[in-house]
């Protein structure tokens, strides 16, 4: 959470920083600020609220200078306010810092400083860093930064700037993402590539413990002791357009519509629709490797966790290996029984989620083999897991995850087929059918997302509801969990997902007249049971919207409304049944006037615990 950006070169920095921050607002949007090195020192402009509030604040008095750093905040220490907004400075205003992360020992440092008479103007942990930076500065900015890093504990990506050395920005990171962009006669820093992609595709993806001394002419990289290091330039393989809305009203809608492409990109090179064969060249596992794996853990947060629940069904049923799915923030502290006979799969769109990373490290520490499934090449999960399988969803900007989720489902299905084949647990005809079915999915998704009119009507009809319930059994239940999360996070309608058979064990008490109940009914082996559950809620006068296969006339007799999806197999159904749920959440949020891409209190990429 929080986005940082920096510019040094010949252009006016303010424009670059504001543009960069607009691309990073998904990381946090409760305040924004910039600091520009003007002739007589740094000028800081910051305020609470969205970036537009900052733009207004500086209208007609834009800071001028060719070096600057900026920040968009998701509050951790100190509520959103003008004072708590970044950048932060020391009391002289000459030393400036922007920070993404948490300084764990800031309180004791602050107490020391207060005891020495130092004054603070914010409640943030970051202000302590600016004080330290100033206190440690003895004529060499690099030395001061080294000392700051030795003093603090926690997680961070940081950028430092000071009046005495106006020709450089120094940045570094630990457990939070940071990229350095390489331009001609100018260079950039950012929390994420979209902020700099319109200027360069050449980047250094910074690792923990690396420091970049960024000037207009070049970038010097060192370790924490100041020893020079070399690093490969990472060339970004997508362009600025991919990080723009491209004519859609919101990123979320654009990303929903991008799913045929992201699914196609994720299967490319892995499945062959003609032969029905599938491979993961990046894994190179064999039968012996899997024989040694007695159990699989899937660990993730939020939407990625929901993809993990689907993954469990896939792996257990197709590969015959027992799977436990864990919420990362629980796994890391619950002393899981993990050893060298376990495979831990962590799923993370961003590859930077703090709890997921900690869980990955814990699994490694306990001797598990680890596999990362992530969307971001060069992310911490990508670097730290023993092996990595990338989803190729492209940049996901909306806070509510959509296309990343379906690519995660696809990867989990492909992994299950891959493992099932290696273990000779999977019937070869089923394996071929599944692979051929996968190849058809992008076209089916395309068809599905094009038929939205009915969903818009439901969104208007039920958009004023206070509560909603999502029901399903088996894989349908796993998808119901994701549907409920989508609805609550962007429309703020209270939504809960239940295994359809569980409702009567308490929750049925909440089913009253006209409460919307969304029932997913694609799993044919348990279809009749789901129909009975529809009757149970109908008997309490709920309004049932069912999601089922085209041609399922029976469903229409039981439910108030049916959203049809193209008929497909049991395992592929989640890739289609989630689409109406994503769209329903989107249009319900619009109906209620919510800010779809930037929901209340949330931010993408949760890099704090
Ligand atoms: C919800 C959503 C979050 C993320 C979660 C994990 O729409 O996006 O629940 O799925 O914060 O994020 P990643 O996948 O980046 O680890």
């Amino acid at each position: 959470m929080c986005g940082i950006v920096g510019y040094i070169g010949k252009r006016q920095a303010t424009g670059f920083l504001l543009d960069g921050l607009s691309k990073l607002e998904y990381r946090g949007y409760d305040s924004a600020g910039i600091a520009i090195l003007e002739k007589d020192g740094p000028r800081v402009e910051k305020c609470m609220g969205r970036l537009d509030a900052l733009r207004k604040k500086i209208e007609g008095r834009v800071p001028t200078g060719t070096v600057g750093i900026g920040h968009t905040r998701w509050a951790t220490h100190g509520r959103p306010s003008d004072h708590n907004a970044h950048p932060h400075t020391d009391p002289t205003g000459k030393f400036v810092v922007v920070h993404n992360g948490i300084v764990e020992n800031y309180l004791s440092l602050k107490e020391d400083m207060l005891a020495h008479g130092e004054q603070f103007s914010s409640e943030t942990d970051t202000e302590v860093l600016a004080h330290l930076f100033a206190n440690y500065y003895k004529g060499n900015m690099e030395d001061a930064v080294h000392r700051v890093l030795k003093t603090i504990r926690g997680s961070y990506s940081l950028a430092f700037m000071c009046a005495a050395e106006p020709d450089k920005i120094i940045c570094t990171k630990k457990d939070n993402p940071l990229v350095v962009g390489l331009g001609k006669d100018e260079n950039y820093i950012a929390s994420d590539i979209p902020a700099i992609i319109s200027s360069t595709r050449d980047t250094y993806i910074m690792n923990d413990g690396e420091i970049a001394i960024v000037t207009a002419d070049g970038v010097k990289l060192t370790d924490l002791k100041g020893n020079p290091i070399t690093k490969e330039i990472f060339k970004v393989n997508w362009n600025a357009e991919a990080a723009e809305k491209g004519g859609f009203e919101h990123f979320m809608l654009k990303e929903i519509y991008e799913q045929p492409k992201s699914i196609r990109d994720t299967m490319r090179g892995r499945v062959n629709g003609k032969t029905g064969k599938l491979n993961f060249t990046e894994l190179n596992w064999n039968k012996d490797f899997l024989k040694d794996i007695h159990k699989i853990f899937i660990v993730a947060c939020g939407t990625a966790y929901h993809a993990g629940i689907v993954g469990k069904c896939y792996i257990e049923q197709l590969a015959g290996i027992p799977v436990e799915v864990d919420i990362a923030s629980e796994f890391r502290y619950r002393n899981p029984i993990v050893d060298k006979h376990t495979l831990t799969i962590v799923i993370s769109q961003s590859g930077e989620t703090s709890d997921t990373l900690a869980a990955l490290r814990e699994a490694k520490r306990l001797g598990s083999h680890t596999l990362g499934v992530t969307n971001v090449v060069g992310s911490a999960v990508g670097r730290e897991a023993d092996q990595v399988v990338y989803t190729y969803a492209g940049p996901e900007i909306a806070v509510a995850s959509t296309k990343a989720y379906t690519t995660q489902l696809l990867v989990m299905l492909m992994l299950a087929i891959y493992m099932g084949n290696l273990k000779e647990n999977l019937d070869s005809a089923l394996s071929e059918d599944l692979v051929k079915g996968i190849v058809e999915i992008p076209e089916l998704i395309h068809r599905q997302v094009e038929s939205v009119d009915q969903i818009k009507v439901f969104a208007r009809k039920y958009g004023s509801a206070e509560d909603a319930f999502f029901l399903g059994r088996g894989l349908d239940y796993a998808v119901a969990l994701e549907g409920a999360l989508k609805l609550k996070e962007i429309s703020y309608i209270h939504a809960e997902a239940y295994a359809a058979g569980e409702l009567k064990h308490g929750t049925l008490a909440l089913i009253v007249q006209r409460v919307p109940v969304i029932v997913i009914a694609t799993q044919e082996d348990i279809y009749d049971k789901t129909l009975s559950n529809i009757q149970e809620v109908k008997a309490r006068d709920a309004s049932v919207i069912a999601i089922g296969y085209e041609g399922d006339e029976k469903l229409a007799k039981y439910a108030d409304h049916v959203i049809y999806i193209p008929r497909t197999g049991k395992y592929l159904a989640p890739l289609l049944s989630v689409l109406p749920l994503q769209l329903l959440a989107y249009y319900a949020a619009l109906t209620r006037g919510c800010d779809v891409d930037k929901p209340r209190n949330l931010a993408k990429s949760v890099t704090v615990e």
Side-chain angles (χ1 to χ4, degrees):
M1 353 272 287
C2 299
I4 67 175
V5 65
Y7 174 86
I8 184 160
K10 294 193 165 54
R11 286 191 261 169
Q12 284 301 313
T14 301
F16 182 94
L17 296 183
L18 291 177
D19 186 53
L21 289 177
S22 73
K23 306 291 175 352
L24 295 178
E25 250 196 320
Y26 72 87
R27 301 181 64 83
Y29 33 83
D30 55 43
S31 52
I34 55 174
I36 303 289
L37 279 180
E38 291 195 323
K39 271 202 220 78
D40 45 4
R43 177 170 149 204
V44 175
E45 293 290 348
K46 57 185 186 174
C47 64
M48 183 175 141
R50 301 278 164 94
L51 192 57
D52 276 346
L54 178 66
R55 286 187 205 276
K56 280 210 186 79
K57 187 173 180 226
I58 59 173
E59 219 167 59
R61 41 178 222 94
V62 172
T64 51
T66 57
V67 185
I69 54 182
H71 188 271
T72 179
R73 179 169 188 249
W74 184 81
T76 57
H77 292 63
R79 54 188 298 116
S81 72
D82 290 356
H83 286 308
N84 289 335
H86 296 216
H88 288 283
T89 66
D90 73 312
T92 69
K94 295 203 156 85
F95 294 84
V96 194
V97 179
V98 287
H99 171 215
N100 164 204
I102 290 178
V103 181
E104 285 162 7
N105 56 338
Y106 89 102
L107 264 182
S108 61
L109 293 167
K110 190 167 176 175
E111 273 159 21
D112 269 4
M113 290 172 185
L114 286 167
H116 285 90
E118 294 185 33
Q119 307 271 319
F120 288 84
S121 55
S122 81
E123 300 149 280
T124 65
D125 49 347
T126 307
E127 195 181 1
V128 170
L129 298 177
H131 282 232
L132 279 178
F133 180 30
N135 295 346
Y136 288 154
Y137 187 78
K138 302 284 178 266
N140 183 319
M141 198 170 153
E142 279 183 57
D143 289 347
V145 170
H146 293 161
R147 283 192 67 190
V148 172
L149 299 180
K150 263 195 211 134
T151 309
I152 60 171
R153 276 200 324 272
S155 62
Y156 46 79
S157 48
L158 286 166
F160 299 87
M161 204 173 73
C162 74
E165 298 187 36
D167 60 338
K168 64 180 71 116
I169 299 171
I170 297 187
C171 61
T172 186
K173 67 155 284 213
K174 178 172 171 282
D175 297 339
N176 281 281
L178 181 69
V179 293
V180 174
L182 308 171
K184 188 166 171 347
D185 300 328
E186 58 182 22
N187 291 300
Y188 332 94
I189 64 166
S191 296
D192 197 1
I193 290 164
I196 55 175
I197 190 73
S198 54
S199 296
T200 186
R201 288 197 191 183
D202 292 334
T203 62
Y204 289 129
I205 309 285
M206 300 292 286
N207 288 326
D208 286 0
E210 293 177 347
I211 297 177
I213 298 99
V214 185
T215 61
D217 308 325
V219 176
K220 181 175 119 187
L221 298 168
T222 75
D223 63 15
L224 292 175
K225 294 195 177 117
N227 303 312
I229 54 172
T230 51
K231 221 174 151 57
E232 251 182 57
I233 293 178
F234 174 74
K235 204 160 189 74
V236 180
N237 65 359
W238 45 271
N239 58 20
E241 238 173 47
E244 301 289 346
K245 281 190 208 148
F248 285 88
E249 199 180 335
H250 294 99
F251 279 111
M252 182 176 175
L253 193 61
K254 175 187 176 233
E255 288 161 9
I256 290 174
Y257 276 82
E258 278 175 345
Q259 289 176 105
K261 177 176 181 329
S262 58
I263 290 288
R264 217 171 265 127
D265 290 347
T266 302
M267 73 172 76
R268 184 167 298 127
R270 291 169 172 160
V271 296
N272 184 329
K274 288 204 180 84
T275 60
K277 295 271 179 282
L278 174 149
N279 205 357
F280 276 103
T281 43
E282 61 270 64
L283 294 183
N284 235 342
W285 290 346
N286 56 31
K287 202 173 172 182
D288 287 341
F289 169 75
L290 283 185
K291 214 195 245 161
D292 218 31
I293 299 296
H294 301 170
K295 186 166 184 180
I296 294 177
F297 280 86
I298 302 178
V299 188
C301 304
T303 288
Y305 168 72
H306 294 156
I309 295 176
V310 176
K312 170 187 165 78
C313 300
Y314 287 160
I315 294 172
E316 289 190 337
Q317 291 175 31
L318 301 176
I321 307 173
V323 180
E324 235 181 275
V325 194
D326 246 312
I327 292 169
S329 54
E330 291 295 313
F331 178 90
R332 62 185 292 192
Y333 292 119
R334 76 167 176 90
N335 299 321
I337 302 174
V338 172
D339 59 22
K340 63 180 177 24
H341 298 296
T342 41
L343 165 68
T344 304
I345 304 178
V346 300
I347 308 176
S348 174
Q349 186 284 127
S350 62
E352 300 288 348
T353 300
S354 167
D355 283 319
T356 308
L357 259 179
L360 168 65
R361 290 172 186 158
E362 177 65 0
K364 280 179 91 166
R365 191 185 70 77
L366 294 168
S368 174
H369 186 82
T370 55
L371 170 66
V373 175
T374 183
N375 193 36
V376 180
V377 178
S379 62
V381 165
R383 291 192 310 267
E384 294 190 29
D386 297 323
Q387 291 186 287
V388 58
V389 169
Y390 287 106
T391 53
Y392 293 107
E396 192 181 62
I397 311 287
V399 167
S401 181
T402 53
K403 61 176 181 169
Y405 172 75
T406 42
T407 57
Q408 287 160 355
L409 294 191
L410 176 64
V411 163
M412 295 318 289
L413 178 57
M414 292 193 296
L415 275 174
I417 299 170
Y418 177 66
M419 289 191 249
N421 285 332
L422 284 180
K423 281 197 68 144
E424 294 169 9
N425 188 71
L426 179 59
D427 176 70
S428 58
L430 174 58
S431 172
E432 263 184 41
D433 271 4
L434 284 170
V435 171
K436 289 182 179 162
I438 286 174
V439 175
E440 281 166 13
I441 285 292
E443 182 47 38
L444 299 184
I445 294 182
H446 179 71
R447 253 175 64 195
Q448 184 64 31
V449 292
E450 286 305 321
S451 57
V452 290
D453 290 348
Q454 185 195 19
I455 291 175
K456 288 183 189 168
V457 172
F458 296 153
R460 275 197 296 272
K461 189 169 163 90
Y462 296 107
S464 56
E466 303 264 308
D467 306 285
F469 291 85
F470 289 73
L471 306 183
R473 286 171 174 263
L475 282 164
D476 287 336
Y477 167 53
V479 175
L481 289 165
E482 176 58 9
L485 177 61
K486 281 297 85 93
L487 188 68
K488 61 189 144 193
E489 74 175 318
I490 59 166
S491 77
Y492 317 146
I493 297 173
H494 164 242
E496 291 198 51
Y498 268 86
E502 179 65 11
L503 204 65
K504 56 176 117 16
H505 298 286
T507 310
L508 203 53
L510 296 175
I511 304 295
V512 290
Q513 204 177 20
R514 280 200 290 278
V515 66
V517 178
I518 295 99
V519 184
I520 310 163
T522 69
Q523 299 297 298
E524 284 167 320
D525 45 345
I526 38 182
Y527 177 81
D528 287 336
K529 311 264 175 222
T530 308
L531 287 188
S532 306
N533 299 127
I534 293 181
Q535 281 171 301
E536 279 165 15
V537 293
K538 279 301 303 167
R540 274 87 194 166
D541 289 329
S543 297
V544 174
I545 303 174
I547 293 170
Y549 288 134
E550 282 165 357
D552 182 348
E553 284 165 20
K554 206 165 167 191
L555 204 51
K557 293 196 185 114
Y558 286 76
D560 296 277
H561 319 279
V562 184
I563 300 173
Y564 288 110
I565 61 169
R567 185 166 284 279
T568 184
K570 164 187 171 108
Y571 297 106
L572 294 164
L575 286 152
L576 300 178
S577 58
V578 74
L579 304 169
L581 306 186
Q582 296 172 342
L583 287 163
L584 193 63
Y586 174 78
Y587 285 108
L590 274 197
T591 305
R592 293 165 71 94
C594 301
D595 188 342
V596 173
D597 282 339
K598 298 190 186 98
R600 185 170 73 198
N601 302 338
L602 299 178
K604 207 163 181 73
S605 184
V606 185
T607 53
V608 294
E609 196 179 333

